[in-house]
Amino acid sequence: MLTINKIEQAQHSLNEAEKKVNHQYRLGYHIMAPANWINDPNGLVQYKGEYHVFYQHHPYDENWGPMHWGHVKSKDLVHWQHLPIALAPGDSFDKDGCFSGSAVDNEGELTLIYTGHNYIDKELDTFFQNQNIAVSKDGITFEKAEANPVIAEPPADSSHHFRDPKVWKHEGFWYMILGNSTKKQEGRVILYRSSNLQKWEYVGVLAKSDGDLGYMWECPDFFELDGKHVLMISPQGIEAKGDSYHNLFQTGYLVGEYNYGTNTFHHGSFTELDYGHDFYAVQTLLDDKGRRIAIGWMDMWEANMPTKEDGWCGALTLPRELTLREDKVLMNPVQELTSLRKTQYNMLTNKALSNSYVVEVNEDLLEIQAVFDLADCQASSVGIKIRGINNEETLMCYNLNEQKLLLDCTHSGKEDGVRKVALQAGETLALRIFVDRSSVEVFANEGQATMTSRIYPKESRLGIELFTEGGNVIVKELTYWNL
Ligand code: FRU
């Protein structure tokens, strides 16, 4: 097939581009492509004992374009090895792109299920989308199936938005959900079923917008978590409201009870998964330890992406373990990430803070743990800044009166720099923060709230500043590790 040549070509272009990359904002411990553009994580799977992650990739340019699938694997979810590009577009069924999808281990064959994107008229952005599979015996080279497209067209009441298959097995059948919208532009997720991954029967609608949840749902995922079912979706077209939905598109979830026999999903309301600027198109896998692990795209469509000038663009978040507490999905960094820690610095233990405390640290890659005692605390707000040598800072601040956590990246290269999330911290506020050269990921109170943003500091780093306003606070702990 055409594909082999295309992959060699793409790989060659990528190798050349890699030589020209400017490293100033390159991340130290996140998944990125060697060069050029990436977006969604695809095909998260554990295969022959290793974790595989694919991603939407344009190996020819730092801007989005005809989508390929980039590929990395890891034994420990921490150290990732780049593998050759897995999929290149250009066959009759995926002429203009291999869009997002998933991966399954089908009795030893690693099978990718993805959307073929085909323009009718590129200028007018008219297109059709279909579903395809590609199979690998070694987990490195993939052959597109003769049977493609395995689903040629959407159901009759559907718009042309018909993409991002997530496939899983349940009681002997393969199930596939797809991101979709109705002809009336209501976002929804639709379900198919198959016994062999090749012939699919349409089952029906699994969930649908109630009118307020956007015109299109991208990148769905559906799984059991602690006895409930969780549908994750990335809707387009939700209006900003209060502290919610301030990014162009959102990623969030519905939690409920699902019945396979009747395809009925009784669920609660939509909740955003992460309240930072840059978190989208999340996907998950279930690993052999029984953990549900999520990785998102750590950027946002239409955002300012200064690394394009450096010859690369886009990264994935840290892998996060999901748990459910009272119908709320909590995200915490996977335990393996503690292996990134080099030296541990215990700066404060049970110390009263009346104003601010600065630790000089000029390294870029850090994990920070800051724990504040909020019982009997008179302060109006407490928090932490990652500071540059002059005016730059990334600010994380908890407002005790409003009970909100705020992330402000206005002074670390972000227009529209403030995001907020409601957090009932109770007696303790524990912030676990991962800082990389151009990202910050905040996990508050064991994943009760998370905030993920790209930052683009220009100054070299001065350090970490802990502060309180309006009164004293006891700092139970300030620890950091260089990574
Ligand atoms: C989500 C998305 C998917 C699509 C892919 C294209 O970010 O728009 O719906 O498959 O990106 O790259």
Side-chain angles (χ1 to χ4, degrees), residues 39-40 56 64 67 99-100 163-164 218-219 280-281 301:
N39 55 291
D40 313 354
Q56 290 284 278
W64 187 87
M67 282 291 104
F99 273 20
S100 286
R163 58 179 174 267
D164 309 339
E218 296 191 310
C219 301
Y280 194 62
W301 290 112

Side-chain angles (χ1 to χ4, degrees), residues 152-218:
E153 53 187 40
D157 62 345
S158 166
S159 79
H160 60 305
H161 293 284
F162 177 57
R163 58 179 174 267
D164 309 339
K166 170 77 188 199
V167 174
W168 71 96
K169 202 171 206 177
H170 177 78
E171 291 180 357
F173 281 101
W174 294 104
Y175 288 84
M176 177 198 291
I177 46 169
L178 285 158
N180 183 231
S181 64
T182 61
K183 280 201 164 41
K184 291 192 211 143
Q185 302 225 321
E186 299 146 307
R188 66 178 185 175
V189 163
I190 54 177
L191 180 74
Y192 286 78
R193 193 169 89 142
S194 168
S195 53
N196 58 11
L197 293 172
Q198 304 234 348
K199 283 204 162 60
W200 293 89
E201 118 195 52
Y202 180 53
V203 180
V205 176
L206 192 142
K208 186 175 160 203
S209 167
D210 55 7
D212 288 334
L213 280 186
Y215 56 80
M216 167 63 189
W217 290 2
E218 296 191 310

Side-chain angles (χ1 to χ4, degrees), residues 125-375:
D125 196 30
T126 50
F127 57 80
F128 67 90
Q129 298 181 322
N130 55 29
Q131 315 313 323
N132 301 290
I133 63 179
V135 178
S136 172
K137 290 196 167 46
D138 61 5
I140 300 172
T141 42
F142 292 83
E143 204 170 313
K144 296 179 186 174
E146 293 291 332
N148 285 340
V150 292
I151 307 179
E153 53 187 40
D157 62 345
S158 166
S159 79
H160 60 305
H161 293 284
F162 177 57
R163 58 179 174 267
D164 309 339
K166 170 77 188 199
V167 174
W168 71 96
K169 202 171 206 177
H170 177 78
E171 291 180 357
F173 281 101
W174 294 104
Y175 288 84
M176 177 198 291
I177 46 169
L178 285 158
N180 183 231
S181 64
T182 61
K183 280 201 164 41
K184 291 192 211 143
Q185 302 225 321
E186 299 146 307
R188 66 178 185 175
V189 163
I190 54 177
L191 180 74
Y192 286 78
R193 193 169 89 142
S194 168
S195 53
N196 58 11
L197 293 172
Q198 304 234 348
K199 283 204 162 60
W200 293 89
E201 118 195 52
Y202 180 53
V203 180
V205 176
L206 192 142
K208 186 175 160 203
S209 167
D210 55 7
D212 288 334
L213 280 186
Y215 56 80
M216 167 63 189
W217 290 2
E218 296 191 310
C219 301
D221 199 342
F222 191 52
F223 49 85
E224 266 186 72
L225 190 64
D226 302 335
K228 293 274 176 87
H229 274 88
V230 178
L231 177 66
M232 289 195 165
I233 43 174
S234 292
Q236 299 179 298
I238 304 186
E239 301 282 319
K241 197 168 157 194
D243 296 326
S244 296
Y245 316 142
H246 282 272
N247 299 327
L248 179 62
F249 303 140
Q250 283 70 40
T251 288
Y253 60 88
L254 305 166
V255 176
E257 323 277 341
Y258 181 67
N259 183 327
Y260 276 92
T262 54
N263 183 34
T264 41
F265 181 41
H266 294 293
H267 58 79
S269 54
F270 180 75
T271 310
E272 261 184 283
L273 194 52
D274 184 291
Y275 281 78
H277 296 81
D278 296 290
F279 186 85
Y280 194 62
V282 72
Q283 285 288 294
T284 73
L285 65 83
L286 182 68
D287 82 348
D288 55 10
K289 299 189 178 80
R291 297 180 298 178
R292 181 59 64 174
I293 296 170
I295 296 180
W297 178 32
M298 195 163 60
D299 286 283
M300 179 51 61
W301 290 112
E302 315 275 321
N304 179 31
M305 298 171 177
T307 67
K308 284 185 183 175
E309 282 170 24
D310 296 340
W312 70 286
C313 192
L316 305 185
T317 67
L318 289 176
R320 300 153 180 213
E321 184 177 350
L322 303 183
T323 49
L324 195 70
R325 197 183 299 161
E326 291 163 6
D327 283 2
K328 189 170 172 174
V329 176
L330 310 188
M331 290 199 287
N332 282 291
V334 294
Q335 177 271 327
E336 287 89 333
L337 289 164
T338 54
S339 73
L340 285 170
R341 295 172 177 174
K342 290 185 179 153
T343 313
Q344 172 167 333
Y345 299 89
N346 295 99
M347 304 311 297
L348 297 175
T349 318
N350 294 326
K351 279 265 161 35
L353 181 71
S354 58
N355 188 355
S356 84
Y357 171 82
V358 179
V359 193
E360 283 192 30
V361 195
N362 48 25
E363 289 173 64
D364 291 326
L365 314 184
L366 297 173
E367 182 189 338
I368 304 165
Q369 180 131 320
V371 183
F372 299 90
D373 185 351
L374 303 185

